[in-house]
Amino acid sequence: MAPSKKKHASSECCVIPGGFTVLSLKFSSDSVSQHKLYVKEHRVRAEKSSHRPLDRTLFVLNLPPYCSQDVVRDLFSQFGTVQSVELGDHPGSFKESGPRLSRFFKPPETQGFKVGYVVFQNSTSIAAAKSHPHDVPLVVCTDERPVLTGVQKWTRQYTESFIQVDKLQKIVDSFMEEYDKAKEEEAEQQRKEAEQQQEDEEGWVKVTRGHKGAKARPHSEAANQRTLRKEMRKKKRKELMNFYTWQHRNTQKEHIAELRKKFEEDKQRIALLRAQRKFRPY
């Protein structure tokens, strides 16, 4: 049987179920084996963070361990200017919400395949990355941007693990200055709130309005304690001692019986005083 003269389509993108586009990846130009990346436009409606625009963010799966943020930035820079790169162990919001710490105070990163979010400067870069031919692999290590692996990588990591004392001292001093500044601002804010919530000579408390016309609540510790005590007293007053109807009926009967008993006792005492001629109303 003669071979078919029909040629397979080349230089075309490969799209798999789920909407992911397959991109080939090679560590170096002379590597025989290839690695597959799966990219997709990031479109999550629940995502409200500003650092991942829905029209300029590319979601990347199956990133190998040797692909750092700089490597990923260089790989996707051929499709357009890359604004930011985020790498994580699993999809989701793994951006730091607190103050940015130095690498000396962070736990060691887990080694393994990662997911990434690549934010481009223009939305047209997303279409360029998705239309990249799957038979044209992206090269990680080149002469312009060498990537160390194996013993060379471990040697560099071991060398970088030694921290210079003066450099570490500068980082610690800078962090402590920012921490002290934040504490001073917090103390000043608490002092202003305490002054605003302080009672005047007549016992009145000035209550200001917050944003959108909402009534501001006192946030000082003393005001919170006063509010808590007031709520507890109100709760005690509203406690229902007789919740059921039959309990309320029995309580009324007992109260009437006590009143009758007291009335009879008063009648007997008055009669006794009259009998003893000690009752002198005038």
Side-chain angles (χ1 to χ4, degrees):
M1 183 175 179
S4 175
K5 296 181 180 181
K6 184 179 179 180
K7 296 182 179 179
H8 295 281
S10 60
S11 299
E12 293 182 357
C13 61
C14 178
V15 181
I16 62 175
F20 288 93
T21 302
V22 181
L23 298 180
S24 299
L25 183 69
K26 293 175 64 175
F27 182 77
S28 60
S29 57
D30 55 350
S31 299
V32 178
S33 60
Q34 296 184 4
H35 185 76
K36 301 298 181 182
L37 299 180
Y38 305 99
V39 299
K40 181 180 181 181
E41 186 175 359
H42 177 60
R43 288 190 175 276
V44 180
R45 295 183 180 180
E47 184 76 38
K48 298 181 180 180
S49 56
S50 59
H51 63 281
R52 293 179 189 168
L54 298 181
D55 57 339
R56 296 187 288 111
T57 304
L58 188 68
F59 179 52
V60 187
L61 286 177
N62 205 29
L63 284 168
Y66 52 79
C67 286
S68 60
Q69 289 188 354
D70 296 334
V71 173
V72 175
R73 182 185 297 271
D74 293 337
L75 284 175
F76 289 92
S77 294
Q78 57 181 308
F79 306 116
T81 305
V82 178
Q83 184 176 344
S84 63
V85 176
E86 290 183 84
L87 300 181
D89 300 330
H90 51 79
S93 178
F94 42 79
K95 190 177 181 62
E96 296 179 358
S97 58
R100 189 173 182 180
L101 302 178
S102 172
R103 64 182 181 88
F104 304 117
F105 303 100
K106 293 181 180 179
E109 298 181 357
T110 57
Q111 299 296 329
F113 290 87
K114 299 181 179 180
V115 299
Y117 295 89
V118 181
V119 180
F120 292 98
Q121 191 171 358
N122 299 320
S123 58
T124 55
S125 303
I126 299 291
K130 293 171 63 177
S131 61
H132 184 74
H134 70 282
D135 55 351
V136 180
L138 305 176
V139 182
V140 175
C141 182
T142 60
D143 297 335
E144 292 79 9
R145 53 171 191 274
V147 178
L148 301 179
T149 58
V151 178
Q152 296 178 351
K153 179 180 178 181
W154 298 337
T155 303
R156 186 185 63 179
Q157 291 178 351
Y158 178 75
T159 304
E160 293 178 352
S161 63
F162 294 97
I163 306 174
Q164 298 180 3
V165 179
D166 53 350
K167 186 177 180 180
L168 180 60
Q169 188 65 40
K170 291 181 180 179
I171 295 175
V172 173
D173 294 341
S174 176
F175 179 81
M176 292 305 300
E177 288 178 1
E178 295 179 358
Y179 179 80
D180 294 339
K181 184 178 179 181
K183 283 295 183 182
E184 291 177 359
E185 293 177 355
E186 183 180 356
E188 182 68 18
Q189 184 67 20
Q190 292 180 356
R191 186 183 64 80
K192 291 181 179 179
E193 291 178 355
E195 291 179 355
Q196 292 178 357
Q197 302 301 331
Q198 187 175 5
E199 297 181 355
D200 56 10
E201 296 179 356
E202 298 180 357
W204 292 92
V205 178
K206 182 180 179 181
V207 180
T208 58
R209 289 186 176 271
H211 63 282
K212 296 183 180 179
K215 189 175 181 180
R217 294 185 60 188
H219 296 285
S220 62
E221 186 66 23
N224 291 337
Q225 292 294 333
R226 289 196 300 269
T227 305
L228 183 60
R229 289 194 296 267
K230 184 177 179 180
E231 293 294 333
M232 293 297 295
R233 289 195 300 267
K234 186 185 297 184
K235 183 178 179 181
K236 289 182 179 180
R237 287 196 302 266
K238 290 185 177 181
E239 285 182 353
L240 298 178
M241 302 302 295
N242 303 319
F243 182 78
Y244 297 102
T245 306
W246 63 270
Q247 290 180 333
H248 183 64
R249 186 165 53 249
N250 293 342
T251 304
Q252 287 182 343
K253 291 181 179 179
E254 293 176 358
H255 183 62
I256 293 174
E258 290 179 359
L259 291 178
R260 288 178 177 176
K261 182 179 179 181
K262 185 176 180 182
F263 178 71
E264 295 295 335
E265 290 178 353
D266 292 341
K267 285 176 61 178
Q268 293 178 5
R269 186 168 60 254
I270 293 174
L272 181 61
L273 291 174
R274 284 179 177 177
Q276 296 177 357
R277 298 183 181 275
K278 294 183 179 179
F279 181 75
R280 299 185 180 86
Y282 303 105

